[in-house]
Structures are given as structure tokens and as C-alpha cells.
């Protein structure tokens, strides 16, 4: 079969869903899903994809390291200036076609995941203290398998950034930057133009489908005294909501699809895949340190490519500090431990990394637990971009609320829901139970309580000087005692929510009791002590790792980059990923990363073209 119906003849190399659904499940039905979706032009987009270069040129104006959420955004914006020659380097391969279907099981633990884990800790005890941190190793980065929820944070979040000295990063100054990327299709119906805009590359809207239960939980929230809102990024940013997400034509809209693919034919924009950056080379020009070249490995060959203007470092909150340390930029003690000579002293590199952490309680509801991915829903999706495959099920529902430990305008809890999301289907038959050995099992819905403002922080260092060794990740979860209290408040809110008449009468909802290792033998069920034990046992790290090389004043030893995102002391390296986040915002963070990358390129245009950055 060729792709001529889509307007091109060439296919591309991208992993199949066999990398995530293994064994008999893949062979029987999921292979059909994977095969079919490869030839659906507007979903798999075979002809719109970039054709990677196989050999770099000797010099570029800009080299962007990492094609994830932040890197793709920055690279796409730089490519808009046709006089600039830009190289985008990505360690992974192209996006799998099947990951375009919002409901398809994520590609964690596959060849497009860096598969990071933390060092042993006093959290994640059900897994011997080791927490799992999935990170995308693919064109599009983590945006290729994330939940797509579009959340910007609250004004109070950015007040904290300003309080740390970053006066350019107030909510008011960021709002136009958020709007710059956006193409919101629901202005006037669900959201207002005061907060949203059209015309940007990043399509934001609700999914085409949501389970009835999601709407019933909004009613339940109302019945139990919680606010409900249409727009968590608008005036009423506290409450329960069906979130807007980055999706287009019923398919995932990764950041590479949004920002990089439109430039696939630009002669001055080069993309190289399977290209792992090992080092940034630093020189000195007129007494100022400068990045002069980038070293990377492609196809077992080491390339050193010169850069005349800037290196944009966007390898994510873990790999960005890793690359800086490999380049000799960091704390001398940290570098000495692995025998790397210090080139530039910047003690904050890798220090202070934060992540949202949650704990999931489970409720049972009465409908049977069928696999939603089947031949009927596949047909529905292919014909109308609708139905259960066009969304993430209950995961598109969320709540942002305040515990008693904060003020009403600075909410510190997010609730996430799971259920009606898809597992790998073993047969494709409609009404196949998820577990064939338990055909009458009913549905479980997870409700995760997230502490949005963790006080604990960890660090990233090197395990060795070998760039292909995984960095050492210390998460330090719950090292501050306040962090668990907020999660327990979220559990109490969940218990309040499920008292709603609609959930009892329509779904016969019941709260599930588990023992969580030996917590049930040590503590009385449902006491705060019990939950503290359970949270440490079944810790769920969210995937919002950030602040490992953050924005701050040059005088702030805990910061790496200035307000224009330039590395302290080496201004032609800018960071445009989650590392630069000053303090975790209240919600998922991808929208914030996109705004950081947009902002970096505005500053670049200001510096080199004299355009005013707003
Ligand atoms: C399961 C999951 C669900 C999530 N859900 C949501 C959600 O619903 N909403 C939301 O807002 N956020 C969500 N997130 C978080 C969000 O996806 C991430 O915060 C965001 O994508 C990180 O962007 P980044 O640019 O910092 O890094 P990444 O997107 O991870 O990009 C880094 C890129 O750099 C590349 N790279 C790394 N090292 C090198 C090297 N040495 N050489 C070359 N390339 C390299 C990587 O391969 C990767 O492509 C989720 C994350 C996960 C894992």
C-alpha cells in the first residue's frame, strides 16, 4: 500500500502499537488498529511529517536541542524567520501513528520513553522506593504521550515568580504570550476572548466526546458544594471542569505536529532524529563565554556543528541539566564526582527539581467494565472523529480546589480522574470485559489527589561522565511534612464528592478499601495516619518535573537563567523547557512550557531583529 491517497508516496519509520500492547493482545486486534490508522491521512498525517536530514551542515545560526514541548515550539518559531538557519536535534524517532488516537494506551516503557526512575526513597514503597518518571524520547517529546490537558496556572502562581524577582513573568505579562500560540475553537461558547485567542498553531478545544459520568460528576460537584467552571484558564479558575485539550480533527496535536511540521519544506530548517547531544562546546569571545558548537552522536558517528548565534536547550527537566553538566557547566563538587572538568561555575544546575505528586483512591460504579476500544468504536472514530476513541475518557475531567492550608484564590489541590480510558483490546469485540476471567466485574474509577504546591525538591546529577548513562534522579518526595497533608485534604474532598445523590442513585458508587502493604494492619482505616502510610506506599508521581535550572536574578544562586532565559554567564545558551519554571504552577504544565518557549523566541527576535518583545 502507498500513501498516494494522502498526497505522497513515502512512508516513515515510526514504532507500532506493538511496542506498547504486547503478546496476544497486539496480534489479534491492536495490529489492525495500528495498520488502519497509518493510512488515515488527517490523523496519521504521513505526508505532513518532516523528512529528517541524514547529515548536518557545518554551521547554523541556531541549534535547538530536544524536540519536545518546549523545543518544538521554539524551533518552529525560529523557522519562521527564513533568513535564519536552524537545526533541530532530537534523540528519538518520529511519532507513532497510533499515538494520534487520543484514547490509545500511552507508549510508556517503550522505545519512545527514556524510562527514567528515581533513586530509592521513602516514597513509592510499593515499588521498593523507586518511582517511575516516563519522558518522551521522540519528535514531539513528552507531548506525544501526555494527557493533552491545557492548563496555564493561576495568577497567584505567577505572583510567586514575581516575588522571586522575576518581574517580567507576571500573569498579566504572560497572558498575551499564552494567547499567541493558541487557536481556540470554543471562544464565545465555552471560553472568552479576554483569555483566549485564535490564529496560533496550537489548537485548543475540548475533545469531541466525554463519558456521561464526566458530566454527572459535574452535577455531583454542584450537589456537594464545589464550584463548576467551563474554563480553568479564565476568570473562574477554581472548580470542577471538563478540560480543554490540545487536539485537532479528533487526533492528538503534539507540539511537533503544531509547530515543526508546518516548516518541513523550509530550506533553512533542518531536523535530525536519532541524534543524541553529548555536549555543548564553550569558547570565549571578547572575554565573554559563548557556546560555539554542539556535539552529538548520530548513527554511531560523532558530529561537531558550529553555532553562530545561539543554542536553544530544550531537552526537558532531566536531560537539560544532564547536558549542561556533561558540558562542564555546573557545581564543581558535582562535576568532580564524575571526573568532568568545570568549564563554567553554575551551582544551580540540576538542583531544586520539583514534581507534582498524587495518590489515587478508587471508587466502584455499577456499569460493567467493558473495553471501550473495539471494532464499533474504531469505525465510529474513523467515520466521524467521535466516540470513545476521540478522547481520554474520564481523564479529561479535573478539579482545581483549595485546601484549608491556602487561600481561595491560590488553590493547592488538583483532582484527576481515570476510567473509561482504554486498555489494549484483546479481541475488538464490542462488550468484551477488560478482564475475561471476571466478565461481570464493574468499572473502577480512580480519583487522584494532587498537591499542586509541593515544598520538597530533589536534584539531578550524573551517574558517570558517559552521556549515554542515565542521570541520577533524587526526587526527595515528602521530605517536607506539609506535602502529604494537602494530598489527604484531596482525599477528604473525594469522599465528600461521592456522597452526591446522583452518584449514589445512578451509579451505586462505593469507596474501595485496600490495605496498601501493611498500612491497614498498622493504622485504623481512614485515619490521617492510615492515609499518610498509604500515600507513601502507593505514591503516584505526576509527570510535571520542572525547575531543575530555573529563571532568576543573576544574584540568586538557586537560578540558572535570567528573565530572558539566557544562561547566567553564557548568554547565547537559552533554556526553553520545563527546567526554567520558577515554581510549579497549579495544574499540568505543558501550556506554561510552550509560553516559555514562545517568550524565548520573542526575546531572540528583539535582540537580533529589533522587534519589541511584549
Ligand atoms: C503521562 C504524562 C501525562 C501528562 N499529561 C499532561 C497533560 O495532560 N497536560 C500537560 O500540560 N502536561 C502533561 N504532562 C507533562 C508534559 O507533557 C511535560 O511537562 C512536557 O511535555 C515537558 O516538556 P519539555 O519540553 O520540558 O520536555 P519534553 O517534552 O520531554 O522534551 C524533551 C525532548 O528532548 C529530547 N532530548 C533529551 N535529551 C536529548 C539529547 N541528549 N539529545 C537530543 N535530544 C534530547 C527528548 O527526547 C525530548 O524529545 C504529562 C506528562 C506525562 C509523562
Amino acid at each position: 500500500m502507498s500513501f498516494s491517497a494522502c498526497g505522497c508516496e513515502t512512508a516513515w519509520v515510526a514504532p507500532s502499537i506493538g511496542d506498547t500492547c504486547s503478546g496476544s493482545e497486539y496480534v489479534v486486534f491492536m495490529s489492525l488498529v495500528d495498520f488502519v490508522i497509518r493510512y488515515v491521512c488527517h490523523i496519521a498525517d504521513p505526508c505532513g511529517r518532516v523528512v529528517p536530514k541524514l547529515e548536518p551542515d557545518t554551521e547554523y545560526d541556531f541549534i535547538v536541542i530536544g524536540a519536545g514541548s518546549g523545543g518544538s515550539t521554539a524551533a518552529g518559531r525560529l523557522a519562521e524567520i527564513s533568513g535564519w538557519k536552524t537545526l533541530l536535534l532530537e534523540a528519538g524517532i518520529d511519532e507513532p501513528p497510533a499515538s494520534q488516537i487520543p484514547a490509545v494506551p500511552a507508549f510508556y516503557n517503550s522505545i519512545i520513553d527514556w524510562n527514567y526512575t528515581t533513586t530509592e526513597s521513602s516514597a513509592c514503597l510499593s515499588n521498593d522506593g523507586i518511582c517511575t518518571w516516563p519522558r518522551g524520547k521522540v519528535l514531539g517529546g513528552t507531548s506525544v504521550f501526555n494527557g493533552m490537558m491545557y492548563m496555564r496556572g493561576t495568577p497567584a502562581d505567577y505572583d510567586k515568580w514575581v516575588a522571586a524577582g522575576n518581574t517580567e513573568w507576571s500573569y498579566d505579562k504572560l497572558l498575551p504570550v499564552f494567547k499567541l500560540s493558541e487557536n481556540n475553537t470554543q471562544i464565545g461558547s465555552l471560553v472568552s476572548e479576554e483569555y483566549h485567542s485564535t490564529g496560533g498553531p496550537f489548537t485548543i478545544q475540548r475533545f469531541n466526546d466525554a463519558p456521561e459520568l464526566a458530566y454527572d460528576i459535574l452535577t455531583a460537584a454542584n450537589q456537594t458544594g464545589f464550584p463548576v467552571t467551563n474554563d480553568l484558564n479564565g476568570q473562574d479558575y477554581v472548580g470542577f471542569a471538563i478540560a480543554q485539550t490540545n487536539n485537532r480533527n479528533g487526533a492528538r496535536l503534539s507540539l511537533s505536529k503544531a509547530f515543526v511540521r508546518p516548516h518541513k519544506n523550509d530550506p533553512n530548517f533542518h531536523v535530525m532524529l536519532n541524534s543524541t547531544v553529548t555536549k555543548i562546546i564553550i569558547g570565549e569571545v571578547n572575554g565573554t563565554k559563548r557556546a560555539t558548537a554542539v556535539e552529538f552522536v548520530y548513527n554511531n558517528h560523532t558530529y561537531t556543528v558550529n553555532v553562530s548565534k545561539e543554542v536553544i536547550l530544550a531537552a526537558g527537566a532531566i536531560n537539560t541539566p544532564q547536558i549542561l553538566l556533561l558540558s562542564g557547566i555546573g557545581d564543581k563538587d558535582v562535576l568532580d564526582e564524575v571526573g568532568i572538568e568545570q568549564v563554567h561555575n553554575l551551582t544551580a544546575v540540576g538542583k531544586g527539581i520539583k514534581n507534582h505528586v498524587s495518590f489515587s483512591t478508587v471508587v466502584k460504579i455499577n456499569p460493567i467494565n467493558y473495553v471501550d476500544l473495539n471494532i464499533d468504536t474504531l469505525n465510529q472514530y474513523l467515520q466521524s472523529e467521535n466516540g470513545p476513541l476521540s478522547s481520554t475518557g474520564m481523564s479529561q475531567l479535573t478539579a482545581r480546589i483549595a485546601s484549608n492550608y491556602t487561600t481561595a484564590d491560590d488553590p493547592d489541590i488538583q483532582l484527576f480522574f481515570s476510567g473509561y480510558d482504554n486498555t489494549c483490546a484483546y479481541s475488538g469485540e464490542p462488550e468484551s470485559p477488560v478482564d475475561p476471567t471476571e466478565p461481570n466485574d464493574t468499572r473502577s474509577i480512580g480519583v487522584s489527589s494532587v498537591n499542586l504546591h509541593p515544598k520538597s525538591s530533589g536534584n539531578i546529577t550524573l551517574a558517570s561522565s558517559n552521556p549515554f548513562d542515565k542521570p541520577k534522579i533524587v526526587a526527595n518526595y515528602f521530605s517536607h511534612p506539609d506535602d502529604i497533608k494537602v494530598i489527604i485534604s484531596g482525599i477528604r474532598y473525594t469522599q465528600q464528592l461521592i456522597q452526591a445523590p446522583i452518584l449514589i442513585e445512578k451509579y451505586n458508587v462505593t469507596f474501595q478499601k485496600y490495605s496498601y502493604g501493611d498500612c491497614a494492619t498498622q493504622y485504623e482505616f481512614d485515619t490521617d495516619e492510615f492515609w499518610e502510610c498509604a500515600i507513601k506506599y502507593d505514591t503516584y508521581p505526576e509527570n510535571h518535573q520542572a525547575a531543575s535550572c530555573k529563571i532568576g536574578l543573576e544574584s540568586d544562586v538557586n537560578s540558572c537563567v535570567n528573565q530572558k532565559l539566557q544562561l547566567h554567564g553564557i548568554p547565547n545558551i537559552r533554556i526553553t523547557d520545563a527546567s526554567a519554571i520558577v515554581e510549579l504552577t497549579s495544574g499540568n504544565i505543558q501550556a506554561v512550557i510552550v509560553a516559555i518557549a514562545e517568550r524565548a523566541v520573542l526575546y531572540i527576535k528583539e535582540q537580533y531583529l529589533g522587534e519589541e518583545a511584549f
Side-chain angles (χ1 to χ4, degrees), residues 529-597:
E529 293 75 19
F530 172 83
W531 288 121
E532 182 170 340
C533 177
I535 291 164
K536 287 182 178 163
Y537 183 78
D538 239 355
T539 318
Y540 183 77
E542 288 299 329
N543 300 292
H544 305 155
Q545 292 83 355
S548 51
C549 214
K550 58 190 175 192
I551 308 170
L553 304 181
E554 200 117 8
S555 55
D556 176 359
V557 291
N558 296 315
S559 75
C560 276
V561 291
N562 67 18
Q563 296 200 68
K564 295 188 175 180
L565 299 151
Q566 298 165 296
L567 206 71
H568 296 322
I570 314 181
N572 79 327
I573 299 177
R574 276 185 225 246
I575 294 184
T576 70
D577 61 24
S579 322
I581 284 176
V582 178
E583 188 57 59
L584 273 170
T585 50
S586 302
N588 319 55
I589 58 169
Q590 181 168 261
V592 183
I593 297 164
V594 172
I596 286 172

Side-chain angles (χ1 to χ4, degrees), residues 65-71 89-92 108 114 134-138 140-143 145-149 275-277 314-317 319 323 543-544 577-578 588-591 593:
I65 302 174
S69 305
L89 293 170
E90 167 54 46
Y108 315 138
W114 287 90
R135 297 280 89 192
K137 184 182 183 183
V138 55
T142 309
S143 75
F145 55 59
N146 70 12
M148 293 167 269
M149 200 176 271
S275 300
T276 304
V277 171
N319 296 62
I323 292 169
N543 300 292
H544 305 155
D577 61 24
N588 319 55
I589 58 169
Q590 181 168 261
I593 297 164

Side-chain angles (χ1 to χ4, degrees), residues 280-293 307 309-311 327-330 335 341-346 554 566-574:
I280 302 171
I281 296 168
I282 310 299
E284 212 167 290
V285 180
N286 300 332
T288 306
K289 284 182 186 154
R290 281 184 66 81
T292 55
V307 64
K309 291 191 171 66
E310 299 202 2
V311 169
S327 310
I329 301 168
L335 294 168
E341 191 185 336
Q342 190 186 49
V343 172
H344 181 65
N345 183 27
L346 194 55
E554 200 117 8
Q566 298 165 296
L567 206 71
H568 296 322
I570 314 181
N572 79 327
I573 299 177
R574 276 185 225 246

